[in-house]
């Protein structure tokens, strides 16, 4: 075990916990703790077997050493509203906390913050600049220019997602630590640490419960020699010091067993946040006074500080539950509220949560039972996957990961990673805000890329597996679009593009409606991305296509899609370079590529798919605006579809043939129609152009080969490898799919299986997109049912399209398909054994083809409650 508490730091501890350094009695107390903790660190004996209580299914991660490096070893728990990272300490545990809306910056920091937009009086001059840029691109011999910096804007107080401090749990226990183990249980959604000292076994459990919007840390003990085991002295305090930059909050005793932690995100003020932490026990006797809250005196000018304590020998078990929130509100993101995003003070709501009967209870088991029931209903009851894995209960997860080999693989580890992705999505996406670049787990005051919502692959990949695996997690994402993107996005459309219909966003998004093109300077490669709203609207469409939830579609889905489509109807312009009577975007960048040009394939494919969704969803929307539908159809027919084959057989990234065969760029933007879209996969010459489907697929294959394996001079991320694996699966290439998937695991997933942006760094960056995208990529090898351009085209369901030889047998239960279908699938010795389809009660009738290995297995028309079983292959 590694411990960062030294006697030389005692004075620092005095400042951290008490606000001044020279009270002798308290100094001696801290010195005692430091001495004991250092001694215990020298005496730890490691466990060599799976910890007691670890699921017999093997569905979880376990380790026999405590954690050191946050991104490599700590374990995440969360409920969407709150998150925590657990290192698995023994007598000293520092649990890192997160509150989903705790951001620096925005209007809380600077009332003049305007989402990185131009000023209203800039609209006419910006419109002229835009016209000039378009003309320069069309008139350029090569169809491109070098800069559009005039369109970008200083980001202002953009801000970043921040950690919320640490819960410090201390235990006055002595003796050699033995039988140590810690684990994360995917069957129940709990993190647990177990160890023994002097014959006493301690079990610390940490959960974050969605029903109670709280997190709880529980400690209990068992002693073989005594019938009534009791706990030693315990203390619980809060520290902001490890979150470098986070100002120290005021910590006070709300009552005898509750801490109130209240502060601001910035030294000069900014967003207010609050945490209430309540300590409860199971006393040895009814007369026992088990807990106390000590308010320490502090020197003038220092924030208040307090600690909760459990008295030795008074309690059989103890648990501390915490709730937290900020004054942020998405409801305040409208123009009528000045885009303030300011809500009410969080205190009263938090007091209601911490005092609710479900949380303020005399039984931790009731809190745990409620959490587990909700967790299973959300995650495990409706869907399951088997890859024919055998649980490995004799080897810790980090050892299994260290032995992993590319192309050889390990079914058990690959299955764990799939389940881990779903676990993290359900643990981070069911709050008020969507899962960001790090889910809801962020370490430090300022995180990489602000830990925001990057929308040119990252936030999209987060949700790849959501609909397919029956996770009800997307509504917070759609609320985020409606309340933070659309309101100020309508202003951006007007002031930057001189378009009065609809709304637009760009690549980098915070929680304060940062809809402008983020500058300053030549940032076009990543900032010039007004198609971010288009890609995300395809997730909106997918939700309706999977569920046929007409009430939701009419109230939220359709208004969102109509707004985005309206903007892009006005943004498409005639191609004056090729003069081929098509409509194109101009200016455009293929995401994160430097070339500023027109007719980027990525943009054209996405907008074409969006217009298809408009037509397919119009009747169900209840909208009577037939003129809008007619305009969509007309411009869809006229627009360039983004499918061109270039000089070396590649699918062109731009309408001008500028691709390089040595470009191993991390993004596969021009292959968006291969995966996760369908403009390439389902290419139809009768509606898209002059090539055959085979020619287009072959060209996409050439491009994918030349794009490399996802490790190039520009990046070494897990998400780029997961995207490549999904693309190879879409092409039906099991060998390349598995190679890329296993390469990602080997290179980018750490000892705790978190995805690491820079895996060789001693303290690497955690990026959740590969963890979450992995699950979607894996499923794409087992079944595919891509979208179609219109309902006259059958839904093609392909079974085992890229099944690798490493997974000869397995099963899926509860997979969801478009059209309101549920799929159960089994295979053995590399061949399907059974497949069954069941239609929801509210389905819209459509034709379905079921295929495997190029053979049509079934053809049927869906109807309410229809069940189709296939056993002959």
């Amino acid at each position: 075990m590694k411990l960062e508490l030294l006697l030389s730091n005692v004075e620092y501890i005095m400042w951290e916990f008490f606000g001044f350094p020279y009270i002798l009695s308290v100094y001696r107390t801290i010195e005692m703790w430091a001495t004991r903790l250092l001694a215990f660190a020298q005496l730890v004996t490691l466990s060599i077997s799976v910890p007691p209580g670890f699921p017999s299914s093997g569905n979880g991660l376990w380790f026999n050493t405590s954690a050191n490096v946050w991104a490599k070893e700590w374990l995440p728990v969360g409920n969407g509203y709150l998150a925590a990272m657990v290192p698995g300490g023994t007598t000293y545990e520092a649990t890192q906390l997160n509150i989903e809306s705790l951001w620096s910056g925005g209007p809380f920091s600077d009332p003049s913050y305007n989402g990185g937009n131009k000023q209203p009086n800039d609209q006419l001059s910006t419109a002229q600049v835009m016209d000039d840029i378009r003309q320069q691109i069309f008139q350029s011999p090569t169809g491109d220019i070098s800069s559009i910096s005039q369109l970008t804007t200083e980001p202002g107080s953009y801000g970043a997602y921040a950690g919320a401090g640490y819960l410090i749990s201390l235990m006055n226990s002595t003796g050699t630590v033995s039988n140590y183990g810690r684990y994360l249980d995917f069957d129940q959604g709990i993190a647990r640490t177990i160890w023994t000292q002097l014959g006493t076994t301690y079990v610390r459990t940490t959960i974050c419960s969605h029903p109670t919007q709280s997190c709880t840390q529980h400690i209990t003990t068992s002693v073989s020699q005594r019938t009534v085991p009791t706990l030693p002295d315990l203390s619980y305090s809060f520290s902001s010091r490890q979150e470098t930059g986070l100002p120290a909050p005021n910590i006070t005793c709300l009552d005898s067993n509750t801490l109130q932690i209240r502060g601001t995100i910035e030294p000069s003020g900014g967003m207010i946040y609050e945490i209430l932490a309540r300590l409860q026990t199971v006393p040895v006797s009814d007369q026992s006074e088990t807990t106390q809250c000590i308010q320490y005196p502090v020197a003038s000018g220092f924030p208040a500080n307090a600690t909760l304590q459990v008295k030795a020998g008074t309690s059989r078990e103890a648990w501390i539950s915490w709730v937290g929130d900020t004054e942020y509100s998405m409801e305040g993101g409208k123009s009528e509220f000045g885009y303030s995003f300011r809500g009410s003070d969080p205190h009263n709501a938090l007091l209601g949560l911490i005092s609710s009967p479900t949380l303020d209870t005399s039984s931790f088991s009731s809190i745990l039972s409620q959490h587990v029931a909700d967790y299973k209903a959300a995650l495990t009851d409706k869907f399951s996957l088997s890859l024919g894995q055998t649980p490995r209960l004799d080897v810790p997860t980090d050892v299994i990961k260290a032995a992993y080999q590319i192309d050889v693989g390990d079914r058990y580890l690959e299955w764990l990673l799939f389940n881990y992705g779903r676990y993290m999505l359900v643990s981070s996406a069911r709050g008020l805000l969507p899962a960001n670049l790090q889910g809801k787990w962020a370490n430090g005051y300022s995180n990489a890329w602000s830990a925001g919502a990057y929308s040119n692959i990252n936030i999209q990949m987060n949700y790849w597996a959501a609909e397919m695996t029956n996770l009800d997690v997307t509504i917070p994402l759609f609320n985020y679009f409606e309340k933070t993107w659309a309101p100020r996005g309508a202003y951006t459309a007007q002031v930057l593009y001189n378009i009065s219909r609809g709304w637009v966003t760009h690549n980098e998004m915070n929680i304060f409606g940062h809809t402008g093109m983020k500058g300053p300077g030549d940032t076009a490669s990543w900032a010039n991305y007004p198609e971010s709203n288009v890609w995300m609207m395809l997730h909106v469409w997918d939700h309706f296509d999977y569920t046929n939830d007409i009430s939701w579609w009419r109230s939220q889905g359709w208004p969102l899609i109509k707004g985005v489509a309206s903007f892009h109807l006005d943004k498409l312009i005639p191609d004056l370079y090729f003069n081929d009577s098509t409509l194109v975007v101009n200016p455009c960048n293929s995401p994160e590529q430097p070339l500023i040009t027109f007719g980027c394939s990525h943009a054209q494919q996405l907008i074409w798919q969006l217009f298809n969704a408009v037509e397919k969803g119009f009747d169900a929307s209840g909208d009577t605006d037939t003129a809008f539908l007619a305009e969509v159809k007309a411009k869809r027919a006229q627009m360039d579809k983004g499918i061109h084959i270039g000089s070396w057989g590649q699918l062109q990234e731009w309408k001008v043939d500028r691709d390089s065969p040595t470009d191993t760029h991390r993004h596969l933007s021009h292959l968006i129609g291969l995966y996760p879209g369908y403009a390439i996969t389902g290419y139809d010459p009768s509606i898209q152009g002059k090539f055959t489907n085979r020619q287009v697929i072959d060209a996409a294959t050439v491009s994918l080969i030349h794009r490399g394996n996802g490790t190039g001079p520009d990046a070494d991320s897990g998400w780029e490898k997961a995207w490549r694996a999904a693309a190879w699966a879409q092409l039906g290439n099991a060998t390349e799919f598995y190679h890329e998937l296993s390469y990602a695991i080997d290179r980018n997933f750490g000892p705790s299986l978190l995805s690491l942006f820079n895996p060789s760094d001693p303290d690497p960056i955690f990026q959740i997109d590969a963890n979450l995208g992995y699950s979607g990529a894996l499923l794409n090898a087992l079944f595919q049912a891509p979208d179609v351009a219109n309902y006259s085209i059958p839904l093609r369901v392909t079974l085992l399209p890229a099944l690798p030889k490493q997974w000869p047998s397995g099963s899926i239960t509860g997979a969801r398909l478009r059209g309101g279908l549920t799929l159960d699938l089994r295979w053995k010795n590399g061949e399907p054994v059974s497949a069954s389809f069941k239609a929801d009660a509210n389905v819209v009738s459509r034709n379905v083809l079921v295929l495997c290995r190029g053979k049509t297995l079934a053809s049927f028309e869906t109807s309410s409650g229809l069940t189709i079983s296939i056993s002959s292959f």
Side-chain angles (χ1 to χ4, degrees):
M1 294 179 63
K2 297 186 179 180
L3 194 63
E4 296 179 358
L5 183 62
L6 303 175
L7 290 177
S8 60
N9 289 340
V10 169
E11 185 172 324
Y12 150 73
I13 296 169
M14 295 300 304
W15 280 105
E16 177 62 41
F17 289 100
F18 310 114
F20 57 98
Y22 302 114
I23 296 179
L24 182 59
S25 61
V26 182
Y27 181 97
R28 287 174 177 170
T29 300
I30 297 296
E31 184 178 33
M32 176 196 71
W33 278 108
T35 303
R36 288 180 175 178
L37 290 169
L38 281 172
F40 300 157
Q42 306 297 319
L43 297 175
V44 172
T45 302
L46 301 182
S47 168
I48 56 173
S49 60
V50 68
F54 185 77
S56 58
S57 65
N59 193 21
L61 317 177
W62 72 274
F63 307 87
N64 59 8
T65 58
S66 62
N68 182 29
V69 180
W70 187 90
K72 289 184 174 182
E73 296 160 351
W74 294 42
L75 298 177
V77 293
N79 57 28
Y81 304 101
L82 303 174
M85 287 289 274
V86 181
T90 54
T91 53
Y92 173 84
E93 175 75 317
T95 304
Q96 197 252 333
L97 313 180
N98 285 111
I99 302 171
E100 66 167 340
S101 59
L102 187 59
W103 271 69
S104 61
F108 298 90
S109 175
D110 180 2
S112 68
Y113 173 77
N114 75 340
N117 281 289
K118 304 288 186 184
Q119 297 300 320
N121 58 8
D122 292 330
Q123 181 175 343
L124 292 179
S125 60
T126 303
Q128 185 59 55
V129 168
M130 184 71 77
D131 286 343
D132 292 344
I133 287 171
R134 287 167 172 165
Q135 289 181 31
Q136 291 170 27
I137 290 173
F138 283 144
Q139 292 170 3
S140 164
T142 54
D144 67 286
I145 59 175
S146 60
S147 175
I148 55 169
S149 59
Q150 307 100 306
L151 301 179
T152 67
T153 308
E154 290 274 357
S157 190
Y158 182 86
Y161 184 48
Y166 285 72
L167 173 68
I168 307 299
S169 308
L170 296 177
M171 174 186 293
N172 186 8
S173 178
T174 60
T176 300
V177 173
S178 62
N179 300 322
Y180 176 88
R182 63 186 177 102
Y183 62 85
L184 184 60
D185 180 346
F186 297 155
D187 282 344
Q188 300 187 85
I190 63 175
R192 183 165 283 161
T193 305
I194 302 175
W195 73 97
T196 300
Q197 288 178 276
L198 296 179
T200 300
T201 297
Y202 298 97
V203 180
R204 181 183 286 120
T205 302
T206 305
I207 62 171
C208 286
S209 165
H210 186 262
T212 62
Q213 299 183 34
S214 69
C215 297
T216 299
Q217 183 189 102
H218 174 265
I219 184 77
T220 189
T221 181
S222 61
V223 183
S224 57
Q225 296 89 347
R226 294 199 301 269
T227 58
V228 183
T230 60
L231 292 168
D233 285 323
L234 306 175
S235 72
Y236 298 92
S237 56
F238 178 88
S239 171
S240 63
R241 183 64 65 93
Q242 290 99 318
E243 305 278 18
T244 304
L246 182 68
N250 283 302
I251 306 172
T252 57
C253 295
L254 190 68
D255 55 42
S256 63
N257 67 332
T258 308
L259 285 180
Q260 180 184 26
I261 299 113
R262 187 174 172 89
T264 59
I265 185 66
E266 298 174 55
S268 58
M271 186 185 293
I272 293 171
Y273 73 97
E274 182 171 320
I275 297 171
L276 296 180
R278 178 161 292 174
L279 178 61
Q280 295 170 279
T281 66
V282 173
V284 172
S285 67
D286 294 339
Q287 290 73 38
S288 299
E289 291 186 7
T290 62
T291 65
Q292 60 181 343
C293 187
I294 300 175
Q295 190 74 57
Y296 294 103
V298 296
S300 177
F302 286 89
N305 212 326
T307 299
L308 290 169
Q309 293 185 350
V310 176
K311 300 174 186 177
T314 65
S315 303
R316 295 186 179 93
E317 56 185 287
W319 63 96
I320 184 167
S321 297
W322 64 95
V323 294
D325 203 355
T326 72
E327 60 181 325
Y328 172 84
S329 172
M330 286 195 294
E331 304 300 329
K334 300 175 182 178
S335 59
E336 54 262 41
F337 300 114
Y339 305 109
S340 70
F341 290 94
R342 190 180 299 274
S344 58
D345 188 289
H347 176 73
N348 288 339
L350 292 176
L351 192 60
L353 287 174
I354 201 72
S355 303
S356 66
T358 55
L359 194 57
D360 192 13
T361 173
S362 61
S363 169
F364 170 71
S365 63
S366 66
I367 299 174
L368 179 63
S369 296
Q370 184 182 34
H371 160 69
V372 171
D374 168 78
Y375 173 85
K376 288 186 174 182
L379 188 71
T380 62
D381 287 352
K382 296 183 290 185
F383 177 92
S384 65
L385 167 74
S386 170
L387 296 178
Q389 70 283 341
T390 299
R392 298 183 62 183
L393 304 181
D394 58 337
V395 184
T397 304
D398 53 335
V399 177
I400 296 174
K401 168 59 180 68
Y404 189 84
Q405 297 180 54
I406 302 169
D407 294 326
V408 176
D410 183 321
R411 288 195 295 273
Y412 175 55
L413 186 68
E414 290 148 5
W415 175 75
L416 282 179
L417 272 167
F418 176 88
N419 292 342
Y420 200 8
R422 295 184 74 240
Y423 164 84
M424 285 196 285
L425 184 58
V426 85
S427 299
S428 62
R430 290 197 296 163
L432 296 175
L433 292 164
N436 62 37
L437 275 178
Q438 295 187 191
K440 296 289 171 63
W441 299 277
N443 181 29
Y445 178 75
S446 181
N447 285 274
W449 303 284
S450 300
Y454 270 60
S455 52
N456 63 14
I457 179 58
N458 310 92
I459 193 172
Q460 291 89 346
M461 185 179 282
N462 282 2
Y463 289 85
W464 275 0
E467 304 290 353
M468 299 169 71
T469 67
N470 213 353
L471 292 179
D472 185 12
V473 295
T474 54
I475 296 302
L477 177 68
F478 304 149
N479 291 339
Y480 173 68
F481 299 153
E482 179 185 356
K483 297 175 181 181
T484 73
W485 285 24
R488 187 138 54 194
Y491 171 77
T492 305
Q494 191 163 7
V495 74
L496 184 58
Y497 294 95
N498 201 30
I499 292 174
S500 59
R501 291 197 297 175
W503 54 274
V504 68
T505 54
H506 295 85
N507 177 37
E508 286 195 44
M509 293 295 295
N510 55 19
I511 64 171
F512 307 118
H514 194 97
T515 53
M517 192 183 297
K518 193 177 180 184
D522 293 324
T523 58
S525 65
W526 49 266
N528 180 28
Y529 189 55
E531 292 78 33
S532 61
N533 58 358
V534 184
W535 196 343
M536 292 316 307
M537 288 309 99
L538 298 184
H539 285 256
V540 172
W541 164 251
D542 284 348
H543 184 66
F544 180 62
D545 203 18
Y546 277 83
T547 66
N548 199 40
D549 185 342
I550 292 177
S551 176
W552 167 82
W553 178 244
R554 291 182 173 182
S555 64
Q556 184 176 58
W558 175 256
L560 284 170
I561 279 184
K562 185 177 182 181
V564 173
S566 297
F567 170 81
H568 286 280
L569 284 172
D570 289 347
K571 186 173 174 291
L572 289 169
I573 60 175
D575 181 347
L576 301 181
Y577 184 89
F578 288 106
N579 291 303
D580 56 4
S581 300
T582 63
L583 299 177
V584 294
V585 295
N586 182 1
C588 67
N589 286 75
S590 193
E592 306 198 22
Q593 290 276 25
L595 188 68
I596 304 170
T597 182
F598 70 96
C600 295
S601 299
H602 175 84
Q604 303 290 147
Q605 292 174 30
L606 279 177
I607 295 170
W608 181 76
Q609 292 185 185
L610 174 66
F611 287 172
N612 292 338
V614 168
E615 182 184 20
K616 288 181 289 186
F618 183 81
D619 288 343
S621 72
D623 197 336
T624 59
D625 188 356
T626 55
F628 167 70
L629 178 61
E631 185 181 4
V632 166
K633 289 180 177 180
K635 290 196 173 180
R636 180 186 61 187
Q638 190 180 355
M639 70 177 291
D640 186 283
K641 308 305 187 295
I643 305 292
H644 301 277
I645 298 176
S647 57
W648 44 278
Q650 87 283 9
L651 194 75
Q652 293 178 202
E653 190 157 4
W654 304 274
K655 192 169 183 179
V656 288
D657 190 351
R658 298 288 298 275
D659 302 74
S660 167
T662 61
D663 182 3
T664 57
H665 195 273
R666 57 195 175 277
H667 284 257
L668 302 178
S669 301
H670 57 313
L671 302 183
I672 183 76
L674 179 65
Y675 188 90
Y678 63 92
I680 296 170
T681 298
Y683 180 87
D684 184 343
S686 68
I687 56 177
Q688 287 177 269
K690 61 184 179 181
F691 304 109
T692 66
N693 179 273
R694 183 72 265 163
Q695 287 174 318
V696 170
I697 293 297
D698 288 346
T701 304
V702 170
S703 290
L704 186 58
I705 291 170
H706 284 265
R707 211 57 152 195
N709 63 6
T711 301
D714 59 331
D716 187 5
S717 303
W719 63 259
E720 55 188 312
K721 301 173 184 66
W723 195 356
R724 283 160 171 78
W728 280 116
Q730 195 65 47
L731 292 171
N733 191 322
T735 300
E736 290 299 328
F737 156 76
Y738 189 78
H739 173 78
E740 198 65 48
L741 195 78
S742 62
Y743 178 54
I745 295 170
D746 177 73
R747 188 169 181 88
N748 287 100
F749 290 84
S752 68
L753 303 189
L754 292 184
S755 169
L756 307 177
F757 169 73
N758 46 352
S760 61
D761 193 293
D763 188 14
I765 296 169
F766 164 49
Q767 272 191 308
I768 201 171
D769 37 25
N771 279 109
L772 306 188
Y774 172 95
S775 301
L778 184 150
L779 283 186
N780 206 45
L782 303 181
F783 68 90
Q784 296 171 3
D787 200 0
V788 292
N790 58 69
Y791 284 145
S792 67
I793 301 171
L795 179 68
R796 297 169 61 93
V797 180
T798 305
L799 305 180
L800 306 180
L803 180 69
K805 63 182 180 181
Q806 290 83 354
W807 305 336
S809 300
S811 64
I812 299 171
T813 303
R816 293 288 291 171
L817 307 176
R818 297 176 186 278
L821 292 171
T822 298
L823 167 67
D824 293 343
L825 172 67
R826 289 195 309 116
W827 67 96
K828 186 176 182 179
N829 298 324
E831 298 295 334
V833 174
S834 67
S836 65
F837 299 82
K838 183 174 182 180
D840 295 346
N842 63 337
V843 298
V844 174
S845 179
R846 62 191 298 182
N847 292 321
V848 177
L849 291 177
V850 182
L851 306 101
C852 183
R853 311 284 198 268
K855 177 184 176 183
T856 300
L857 303 178
S859 175
F860 58 89
E861 184 175 337
T862 59
S863 60
S864 176
L866 175 72
T867 298
I868 298 291
S869 297
I870 304 172
S871 58
S872 177
F873 297 90

